Amino acid sequence: MMKRLFAALLALAMMLSVTAVFAEEEAAAEAPEATAAVPDTLLATVYGTEIRENNEMLQYYFQSMQEEITGNEFAEHYARMLAMNYTLQTFIVEHKTQEAFSAEELAEIQQKAKDQWNNIVDGMMAQYGITDASTEEEKTAARGDVLAMLESYYGYTEDTYIEEIVNGTFSEKVVSELKEADPTIAATDEEVQETIGDLIKQEKEEVANYSYYEKLKKEDPEKAESLTHDEISQIVSELPEEEFEKYSNDVALYEQITSYYSSQENYNFHYIPEGYRGIIHILLDVDEELLENYNGLVARLEESKSEEAGETEELTETAEATEEPAATEEPVTEEMVEAARQAILDSKKEVISEIMAKYESGTSFEDLIAEYGTDPGMQQEKNLKNGYSVHKDSVSFYDVFTKAAAALEKVGDVSEPVVSSKGIHILYYLRDVPGGALELSEDELAQVRTGIENERINLAISELLDKWSAEADIVWTAEGEAWKYDQSVEEAYREAVKAEEASETEDAPEAEAVPETEAAE
């Protein structure tokens, strides 16, 4: 419960919402040893409520801050001040929540929350097989199991769920009032476009930095390793515009970085380099034995080529030392691979002929994908409408797929069937993808708008919390002065951190490595 409250209080300061209220008995159960030896010293009162040094909430925040704030002589004092500040703000928010609603309004919110809770519990009981025909004993046992699971896995009881709904309603009320009081919180269309432009600039800089670093590694490895990421950024920022654009449109790096961001941060870039085309395709599954044979031959042929080029000597020596020699294994030739590829195509010859005949008679390629295709990506409306974005230098697709896409001459062209490690592909050149800023959907534009407005609401809520704190009835004891916020302590802590960081720059870190991603179909 305490963890939810800690996250919730910070979330309110960050605009999101207060989603929980501290429950003292639960907090004691969570960390019984944390406050066992802490003095029962009165530090302050807020709206008449005592805050003692062994207060479970205060100690939870204090421990959390100590984990985050370390490294110099001011750290503990600073952590203590922040812990008390968060504790005070929590009590103040609780007080303001009670003030915000009349007794009747609060009772109505609580009843709605209770009804929601019961619906959740009843729904989960139904999953346990409970029906109206079940016995009272069965219903009681199932309800007990559901309640135990909700508390064990999700940290919710009926009381804490109701508290969370009450505080969420209060948060929504606060945000609504802030928006109503300050119309400038709402983002204009011009501000949305300006923000998108800023995002594109940052994204291009990110790609250009990595691209420049990779080029430098090849040309001057020693210099590349001596530069920090910030130093590389500075160099790139001073490049002529034409050269900067070349680096920011490095397709291989662009695809690696965008793939990394989308998988790690659920973030999609807002621009795309020139030269992409939208490709849709029919993927035909083939006999597993034929495909396994083909993939094995391709892998062995590539391995033998690498060995001939001297690229896998160490790997070969290791394999020879740990595995049986493969001297008697027949060497793989290009002809063997081609024969295996042709065998796959022959296995689907009739289906391919049927597909092409239907296409030539007027059946749309999209309908043929629906009838014959097995690629799950082609079942997604966005991919089917826009196609996969494929560039001649793409590294995100199978090489054979990329080459087949690049070989198509004009929009509307259909490729010959090609074989990859997944099966047979028939590609269709759907469209040219305009380079530069991507066209965003209404949902994507709304996300940008919400981000702008959230930043403004963050600031407004932070100012509101400061105002509430300044107006709050807080009385400090002499012992509590050491927990009271002091700007000079924060400044001393930050200065000490800066001094420590400055001393560490003598040994400059290596430039950040480019995120590694697996090639996708």
Side-chain angles (χ1 to χ4, degrees):
M1 183 61 192
M2 292 186 69
K3 292 179 181 179
R4 288 207 310 278
L5 173 63
F6 185 61
L9 181 61
L10 294 179
L12 176 59
M14 296 288 291
M15 185 293 300
L16 300 179
S17 68
V18 172
T19 56
V21 175
F22 174 77
E24 192 164 319
E25 65 277 10
E26 288 187 29
E30 284 187 18
E33 298 178 2
T35 59
V38 178
D40 183 27
T41 305
L42 179 63
L43 303 177
T45 60
V46 53
Y47 294 114
T49 301
E50 293 184 347
I51 300 178
R52 295 182 172 273
E53 188 170 350
N54 61 354
N55 179 280
E56 297 291 344
M57 185 192 306
L58 176 63
Q59 287 301 314
Y60 173 77
Y61 288 151
F62 186 34
Q63 292 168 43
S64 299
M65 290 298 98
Q66 284 183 307
E67 292 175 4
E68 297 293 329
I69 301 171
T70 58
N72 62 61
E73 59 186 305
F74 303 100
E76 183 174 352
H77 193 176
Y78 186 36
R80 189 163 55 237
M81 294 187 324
L82 287 182
M84 176 58 83
N85 201 44
Y86 288 138
T87 302
L88 287 171
Q89 286 188 348
T90 302
F91 278 105
I92 291 168
V93 168
E94 290 176 2
H95 180 79
K96 291 295 182 181
T97 302
Q98 297 298 318
E99 282 187 343
F101 304 110
S102 67
E104 293 77 12
E105 289 173 327
L106 189 60
E108 183 179 353
I109 296 168
Q110 290 171 332
Q111 184 59 51
K112 286 182 178 179
K114 186 172 184 178
D115 292 342
Q116 291 175 10
W117 173 260
N118 288 331
N119 288 337
I120 291 170
V121 174
D122 290 344
M124 297 182 72
M125 287 174 62
Q127 294 179 9
Y128 276 63
I130 298 300
T131 67
D132 291 340
S134 300
T135 66
E136 288 304 316
E137 291 77 10
E138 290 172 334
K139 292 178 180 178
T140 299
R143 186 175 184 84
D145 290 340
V146 167
L147 293 176
M149 186 189 71
L150 286 169
E151 184 170 10
S152 174
Y153 285 93
Y154 301 102
Y156 282 113
T157 64
E158 181 176 350
D159 288 342
T160 61
Y161 181 81
I162 292 172
E163 289 169 347
E164 187 160 309
I165 296 299
V166 169
N167 283 278
T169 305
F170 171 67
S171 177
E172 291 173 2
K173 178 181 175 67
V174 169
V175 171
S176 177
E177 289 175 351
L178 286 171
K179 287 182 176 180
E180 185 176 346
D182 184 3
T184 64
I185 287 177
T188 65
D189 292 343
E190 291 76 15
E191 288 170 332
V192 170
Q193 292 304 317
E194 183 179 346
T195 298
I196 292 171
D198 291 340
L199 289 171
I200 291 174
K201 183 174 182 293
Q202 294 168 15
E203 293 162 1
K204 284 191 170 186
E205 289 172 351
E206 186 79 2
V207 175
N209 289 344
Y210 282 122
S211 180
Y212 177 84
Y213 173 66
E214 289 298 309
K215 180 174 180 289
L216 191 61
K217 275 204 308 184
K218 295 175 183 177
E219 297 176 351
D220 190 346
E222 188 174 338
K223 181 179 180 181
E225 294 304 315
S226 71
L227 294 173
T228 66
H229 188 270
D230 287 344
E231 288 171 336
I232 290 174
S233 298
Q234 182 62 35
I235 293 170
V236 171
S237 69
E238 296 171 356
L239 292 173
E241 184 176 350
E242 184 177 338
E243 192 171 356
F244 173 83
E245 287 297 320
K246 180 185 70 175
Y247 285 116
S248 67
N249 287 292
D250 182 327
V251 169
L253 266 297
Y254 171 84
E255 291 185 357
Q256 290 182 52
I257 294 172
T258 54
S259 176
Y260 175 81
Y261 270 84
S262 62
S263 63
Q264 299 293 320
E265 305 176 26
N266 194 29
Y267 176 88
N268 294 317
F269 269 39
H270 297 79
Y271 85 99
I272 188 169
E274 298 284 349
Y276 276 88
R277 51 184 55 180
I279 300 293
I280 56 177
H281 75 126
I282 299 168
L283 173 63
L284 299 176
D285 289 341
V286 298
D287 179 78
E288 289 186 10
E289 187 174 339
L290 288 175
L291 193 60
E292 184 177 349
N293 177 57
Y294 172 74
N295 290 337
L297 290 172
V298 170
R300 286 169 55 196
L301 181 62
E302 290 177 352
E303 182 180 359
S304 66
K305 288 181 178 179
S306 296
E307 290 174 352
E308 289 174 6
E311 295 176 1
T312 58
E313 290 181 3
E314 184 178 343
L315 179 63
T316 303
E317 290 172 6
T318 303
E320 289 174 353
T322 58
E323 299 177 3
E324 290 295 325
T328 58
E329 193 172 40
E330 181 183 5
V332 176
T333 65
E334 296 280 3
E335 289 76 17
M336 293 168 65
V337 171
E338 175 57 26
R341 186 187 74 85
Q342 191 59 51
I344 290 175
L345 291 173
D346 290 343
S347 72
K348 292 293 182 178
K349 186 176 181 179
E350 292 183 3
V351 175
I352 292 171
S353 296
E354 184 178 304
I355 290 172
M356 298 312 298
K358 287 185 176 181
Y359 178 68
E360 289 171 3
S361 67
T363 303
S364 72
F365 202 85
E366 289 82 356
D367 287 343
L368 293 171
I369 290 174
E371 184 176 355
Y372 295 97
T374 60
D375 175 12
M378 286 289 100
Q379 296 174 14
Q380 298 177 21
E381 183 179 351
K382 183 177 180 180
N383 290 336
L384 196 60
K385 177 183 177 182
N386 299 319
Y388 293 140
S389 293
V390 186
H391 192 281
K392 65 180 180 62
D393 298 323
S394 285
V395 295
S396 298
F397 301 88
Y398 296 118
D399 189 52
V400 65
F401 189 93
T402 299
K403 287 180 178 178
L408 296 171
E409 295 182 357
K410 61 182 184 300
V411 172
D413 282 355
V414 176
S415 75
E416 293 293 326
V418 296
V419 178
S420 79
S421 61
K422 288 294 184 181
I424 298 172
H425 306 263
I426 304 173
L427 287 66
Y428 180 83
Y429 189 168
L430 181 66
R431 69 185 183 110
D432 289 315
V433 180
L438 290 169
E439 183 178 351
L440 303 185
S441 67
E442 289 300 319
D443 287 343
E444 291 168 329
L445 289 171
Q447 289 176 9
V448 175
R449 189 183 302 276
T450 299
I452 298 170
E453 294 176 355
N454 283 355
E455 287 185 7
R456 293 170 179 174
I457 293 173
N458 290 348
L459 179 60
I461 285 186
S462 179
E463 292 173 349
L464 184 61
L465 284 172
D466 288 343
K467 179 175 180 289
W468 286 348
S469 296
E471 296 172 350
D473 181 16
I474 302 174
V475 179
W476 295 92
T477 66
E479 294 80 4
E481 289 294 323
W483 293 77
K484 192 175 181 180
Y485 181 77
D486 185 339
Q487 179 71 28
S488 64
V489 174
E490 179 177 353
E491 291 174 354
Y493 168 77
R494 296 192 182 282
E495 286 300 320
V497 170
K498 286 181 182 179
E500 183 178 351
E501 290 175 348
S503 67
E504 292 176 354
T505 57
E506 294 178 3
D507 297 323
E510 296 181 357
E512 296 178 9
V514 178
E516 295 182 0
T517 60
E518 296 182 0
E521 181 182 356

